[in-house]
Amino acid sequence: MQARKKYILLAFCAAWLLVFYFGGAQIRLLKLLSHRKNEEARQWPQWVDRHILRGYAYVDELQNDGEVQLGSPKSKRETRTNIYKNSRCRMETCFDYAKCARHGFKVYVYPLEKGEHMSESYQKIITSIVDSRYYTHNPQEACLFVLNIDTLDRDRLSAQYVQNVNEKILGYPLWNEGRNHVIFNLYSGTWPNYTEDLGFDIGQAILAKASFYVEHFRPGFDISIPLFSKEHPQKGGERGWLVHNNVPPRRKYLLVFKGKRYLTGIGSDTRNALHHIHNGKDIISLTTCKHGKDWEKHKDGRCDKDNEEYEQFDYLELLHNSTFCLVPRGRRLGSFRFLESLQAACIPVLLSNGWELPFSDVIDWSQAVIEGDERLLLQIPSTVHSIDDDKILAFRQRTQMLWEAYFSSVDKIVLTTLEIIKDRVFSHVSRNKLMWNSLPGGLFILPEYSTNLADYPFYYLSQGLSPGQDFTAVIHAVSPLVSQSQPIMRLLQVVSKSKYCSQIIILWNCEKAAPPRSKWPQTPVPLTIIEGKRKRSSRFLPYNIISTDAVLSLDEDTVLLTSEVNFAFVVWRSFPDRIVGYPPRSHFWDNSKQAWGYTSKWTNEFSIVLTGAAFYHRYYHHLFTYYLPATLRTLVDQTANCEDILMNFLVSAVTKLPPIKVTQRKQYKEVLTTQGVKSSHWPNPDHFSQRQDCINAFASWFGHMPLVHSLFRLDPVLFKDQVSVLRKKYKDLERP
Amino acid sequence: MCASVKYSARGPALIPRMKTKHRMYYIALFSVVLLGLIATGMFQFWPHSIESSTDWSVDRHSVHDAPLVHLSASDPIPERGDLSCRMHTCFDVYRCGYNPKNRIKVYIHPLRRYVDDLGAPISSTGLSREYNELLSAISDSDFYTDDINRACLLIPSIDVLNQNSLRIRETAQALAQLPRWERGMTHLLFNMLPGGPPDYNTALDVPRDRALLAGGGFSTWTYRQGYDVSIPVYSPLSAEVDLPEKQPGPRKYFILSSQIALHMEYRTELETLKAENGEAMLILDKCTNLSEGVSSVRKRCCKGQVFDYPQILQESTFCVVLRGVRLGQAALSDVLQAGCVPVILADSYILPFSEVLDWKSKSLTAPHGRYSRFMNVFLEFYALPAWPGIFLLLFLHIEQIPTLMSCKSAFACAACGAVEPVQTGSMRVNPRQGGCGYWQTVFPPEVTVRCPARWFWEAYFRSMKNIVMTTLQIINDRIYPYAARSYEEYFLDDLTGNIIAQGRQNALRAWNLKGNGQVFISMGNGSNVTKAKWASVNSPLFLPLIPPRAPGFTAVVLTYDRIESLFRVITEISKVPSLSKLLVVWNNQNKDPPEESQWPKITVPLKVVRTTENKLSNRFFPYDEIETEAVLAIDDDIIMLTSDELQFGYEVWREFPDRLVGYPGRLHLWDHEMGKWKYESEWTNEVSMVLTGAAFYHKYFNYLYTYKMPGDIKNWVDAHMNCEDIAMNFLVANVTGKAPIKGREWDRLKNKNEMRAADVAADLNMLTLHEVLVTPRKKFKCPECTAIDGLSLDQTHMVERSECINKFATVFGTMPLKVVEHRADPVLYKDDFPEKLKSFPNIGSL
């Protein structure tokens, strides 16, 4: 019995060993597997002879690269120009730079023929160009040409389709194979394939087209524009819908889509699949089969159920309440939905493979939209889920920035197109990508002023810079110099005493000739006199002599203290992109007149600070002179009024923020004026009604009211606090 | 039985005394065990050695040991590259799939030596040093996978960097027989020198089906935008020559041409330019009469004078990079390394990494057609009011080219894209004194600036590793566009690890922003030397929005157990028109909040949140109950703020939604003697912080405070029961780059918050303390010091707050606080105007 036990024990031992033997192998195998998985077991080998490997090229092979050149580069260039034409156009081969050399960037529009039918949208495009600062009516001066033929809708089935375009354009003496022409198009091709055929030969013209397919897009030459509806406003345009930066930034729905489903034909693959991601909770994807006359012919099993569900949701409600909006391709690559969701701050999720996004050469879309892949529709829900709140917050703000900068009106779309072409032609004086992609947007940046970010008031923070520590005072003089006790003399003393003042410029806008330098008092800083030619707008001309970032604009009769100037300047350095000034004014909507009103009454809020005494960045001189149209500046010159309002309009339009008012001691001349004492400055009794008219004229040019109200003023930290005056830096401000 | 016990007690003698049967048994058992052990041991060691001999991971291999592959003439040849390829048509995206890390996986085919029928290799170089470096870099990165089945991008180990050394047809055949070639989809080839005589195509001539190409020298006609990647031509010279970074300052030449293989036509044109511009321009050529043993690639000559290359590049401001037979030139890399501004003259050339790098700000490109006028291009620049920020310091030999530019623009151009040219009044250039020698004053020696052009080289051109990593990152960003990680964050994490990621940078900026882009500048200004680190900032709330008044704000009251005072605060706040909800954070775990019936009756909802720990950071927790953007943080003893003051504070916040808008202001100062930061609570003319005892801010900052506070600041605050407000000020200033806004407050408040230390010690005295503090308002010397008897207590408190500032400044790696001299008041504040017409009459009155 004992023996049996022992043999059992022996067998057990043997079994155990066997298990160990094979089991060990198993464990080892496991180890090997996990080893392979976790570590880079099979890295690229560290060859023993890696140090003696040959270089990929000899240094002299790299340096002598040009030696074997056979043909002359000049003749090669010419050959290339002949080869790369039409569908292979590039600016170098198809664009005549010489045309732009003489007169700069000027755009000519073929004269409109009477009786010629033109769609509303094309009309708007033409109007935008004609109203822009680049327009010329002289084809000899022009650098760019725009046809008078409506080429927007090239769908043969459409009522807007213009026949015989080819014959027409060939008849134009300026056509020149389309060189230096730009052709606008929104719809091309027709059912069922919607090819990108315009139905005529565009030759070497630049194509500005919506729904561009990347393969047809001639990089650096064509321009992709967004699809916009005929209701799209000419000017101004609605602001984005984002008013709150709520956190967490997620909205009621995560992802929505509501739109047509094509049962057949191009684009149907994508749209037919959309219902798969619908979950009725946070992802709403609704499609309807109802479109066209004969939809019931192609109707499939899903249609009735889909249609029913489709009716339960309101498109606008979805747009407002969703974090992401699906923007799938339609028949063509682009859709109205793109701009709609951009405006609604609903981050677009694109399902449109191969779409060259609008203005893609300048706009960095990767920071505003999610580019999905039609092939990977089912991954979209997890993709959008994975995007974190910070990113949503940033993307959402960016949709608004882009919408307002480039898309909210036809004017902006057209101007952006022109500016992109201009940047290509004058590539050495062009905006860089950061300028295009940060506030206030490329249209407000005039590269002729500078291509250095540090010269603009907008990029200090993003570049880790701060504005310069001195200012130039520009005094607007209108009355002749008769005595040494005139206000202007006192003003000169006050301003030149400021430690931040680097120079003073007197803008002589008086009937009499400017007195010589000797008549002016000695000042510790340089004093220059400039002839203003008696034009109000000359106040804001970009004088080369202004070399400081800050400009202090002054009327000759302004009464100020040195410490007021100093304080305002220090404040301006914190808000370099805004106007920082003293006397406030306000605009309001006059319901009875259905027009904008203007008031100088003391109110609790303001939207304008007068430029009779204000700091702003010198770039605004440049913008004022070159960005604003001549008509507005003429209005200012004719009325000899309103230049300050116009400046406020401009700066608020750029920053979308109100100006800043700083402390001012009483006894400012405005006080007197409001009490009815006439200032020699404003002989015109119609002064106020004139200003009212100005506001309305300006608002109509801008297309909206850019002015914004503010409720506060900035005072020195210890202003009127009950602290010893000795402790106060700006004690003069409190003197009665 | 007894015997057996006895035997067993004798232990060792057991076996010999056993019966034979038993002995046999034990021997058998023993041998089985022994055999088993031996067998196991053998198995453990022996097979392993066999496996490892075939394993790739062993490093003792020469490239010549790679297996040989014979190609036959009849092997298939891939199609020529398809020019219409784009990511959505030619790239097999399904292989990449969705993955939580959003990283593509890259596989490298093992090395093979390819020979043709006759045994001749297909490439004269074989595996080159650069390509080996490139593959090693991939293999070391976290893109790498060794599993071909999981890879989304495959890289052949066939070196096609230089087409000169390739046999086109055979190379193509070699590519085609790679496992999973599958018409080239998902394969990536690297090529730097494309084309061959006589036409010199601008893309690799090797037929490659649909493979992606990272090429150096694409023209716009061969570059498939969004598919190919344009890479630089690597210059091995930069690895050999160590060019120390040159300090900013004047450079001897204005324009330099250093390429030796220029076509005669170009050379003639350059010579014409030189004739017009004299000594400012230098045109170098190959040296013909070098002595034996001197490498000609490192020398350049001009009229018998010998210059060292690439060192000479550092002597010039602008360096011309002309196309040769190829568009991409290794010289570009040399030029960038030398910190010289490249003037690239090559029509239709796709600049390296142009998809992400903004070359416009780093170089000057001129269309070829207008080449002969390129000096005019310069002239146009100088006609601008200021120098375009392209790059470097531009100081030239003004005596030599007086017509080129005026002194003024010479100063204006000093910008270097990072530093303002004119720093302080003392450095101001006085035009009346004239002279151009003043440039020294613009940049005093202590100001060091690293120039962007050089930085480009360091980040993207320096080594094969930089080039390949940038390429892969670009492709990765295309496949996972929504996850495109900003390069800046990447950089910050890697280098310093403790700098807070400043919001989400937009990618474009990030690629083009120097990772450690802060410039240290010591601003010497008499006695007031402050060390400032200028960081670039992109606020997370960058859109200029003035939110509507309507939703109002949520007041968050942090309380422990001062019920009476709390109730007074609640009653006071409830009078503010824009209040939408009140949230009481009950920080006392030992005591229950009062019954519902005892709370004051107010018109807005009131919620009580009980916390699990008595921590100061509870105040900044992003409670779900806060549904408005605006949050008013208020202490439970701030009863002196009027409803007008609070409403006005909210209105001001609406205009500054990205700032802290608070009432009591504080300042940080640099203590010269101690050499550190100091906290200042006296009545100063400047403000850099507002206390959060009563402050409006955006709810977003609650998230930042709770989840993104850098370092151990949060724990430090909770442990010390102090400085949570300073921490908040640091956080907001750091992320927005802006100063807080100090509102107008009832002056009594000023002195209150410093009592935090006293707060803890003498809780009960708190209310009386306020009463005490109101009256002696004239004694402003140091209100905190005279406030209560324990003078040392307040000293400690101030010291502690100073310590906080120093500690936080260290953790942030910078002093983000900004000093301002203003505060916000109502438009008509203290104006001589009827009070009843003012919107906020009840402000600051006593």
Side-chain angles (χ1 to χ4, degrees), chain B residues 307-618:
Chain B
F307 298 89
D308 283 328
Y309 182 88
Q311 285 84 350
I312 182 66
L313 292 170
Q314 290 198 316
E315 299 297 322
S316 182
T317 306
F318 290 102
C319 294
V320 180
V321 181
L322 267 160
R323 66 164 296 168
V325 286
R326 295 191 179 89
L327 285 167
Q329 293 289 313
L332 177 60
S333 184
D334 299 338
V335 165
L336 286 172
Q337 185 192 16
C340 186
V341 180
V343 180
I344 302 166
L345 293 154
D347 263 8
S348 69
Y349 175 41
I350 303 287
L351 289 163
F353 303 129
S354 57
E355 189 167 325
V356 291
L357 299 190
D358 192 7
W359 278 95
K360 249 185 200 169
S361 61
K362 299 289 177 292
S363 68
L364 193 58
T365 49
H368 236 52
R370 299 185 298 163
Y371 162 70
S372 59
R373 294 192 297 122
F374 101 88
M375 209 58 168
N376 295 348
V377 175
F378 285 109
L379 283 167
E380 268 180 67
F381 271 119
Y382 304 136
L384 301 175
W387 169 250
I390 322 196
F391 14 118
L392 287 193
L393 309 174
L394 178 94
F395 293 112
L396 33 148
H397 261 202
I398 286 156
E399 297 80 15
Q400 291 166 335
I401 26 172
T403 49
L404 255 182
M405 55 194 298
S406 67
C407 287
K408 198 193 106 207
S409 43
F411 293 112
C413 70
C416 195
V419 183
E420 3 173 15
V422 179
Q423 289 285 328
T424 59
S426 65
M427 296 176 194
R428 192 187 295 162
V429 181
N430 189 336
R432 273 176 303 179
Q433 289 173 7
C436 296
Y438 269 86
W439 59 265
Q440 289 96 341
T441 58
V442 179
F443 279 97
E446 70 266 22
V447 176
T448 58
V449 181
R450 301 172 76 199
C451 290
R454 163 93 178 191
W455 162 72
F456 249 41
W457 176 79
E458 276 170 6
Y460 305 112
F461 284 66
R462 187 187 196 85
S463 65
M464 290 304 287
K465 181 177 175 171
N466 292 18
I467 294 173
V468 67
M469 284 302 123
T470 311
T471 310
L472 292 182
Q473 186 67 45
I474 289 175
I475 295 173
N476 193 73
D477 286 357
R478 286 184 195 155
I479 293 169
Y480 305 107
Y482 46 89
R485 192 179 182 196
S486 95
Y487 208 72
E488 185 181 20
E489 281 173 70
Y490 188 73
F491 220 93
L492 288 178
D493 289 354
D494 286 356
L495 285 183
T496 56
N498 63 353
I499 296 182
I500 181 168
Q502 297 177 330
R504 293 281 158 165
Q505 308 292 342
N506 82 60
L508 189 139
R509 229 188 105 244
W511 280 100
N512 293 286
L513 196 77
K514 197 153 121 188
N516 47 358
Q518 298 93 354
V519 183
F520 277 100
I521 293 166
S522 60
M523 293 179 292
N525 185 8
S527 57
N528 185 22
V529 175
T530 51
K531 204 156 186 117
K533 190 177 185 182
W534 290 1
S536 63
V537 176
N538 207 7
S539 169
L541 303 168
F542 59 86
L543 196 71
L545 272 189
I546 299 185
R549 189 174 292 130
F553 63 90
T554 308
V556 178
V557 192
L558 184 71
T559 190
Y560 193 72
D561 60 359
R562 287 191 298 246
I563 308 280
E564 191 193 336
S565 140
L566 171 70
F567 284 178
R568 279 178 69 187
V569 169
I570 291 176
T571 321
E572 278 305 313
I573 302 177
S574 68
K575 293 176 191 155
V576 183
S578 284
L579 178 74
S580 82
K581 190 190 261 181
L582 242 160
L583 196 65
V584 174
V585 180
W586 191 261
N587 228 358
N588 188 343
Q589 285 76 41
N590 305 320
K591 202 168 140 187
D592 287 335
E595 297 269 309
E596 208 176 302
S597 57
Q598 291 169 13
W599 291 84
K601 298 282 168 289
I602 56 172
T603 49
V604 297
L606 188 150
K607 286 249 168 78
V608 181
V609 188
R610 298 200 60 178
T611 59
T612 49
E613 248 181 299
N614 179 16
K615 288 196 295 189
L616 275 178
S617 38
N618 288 339

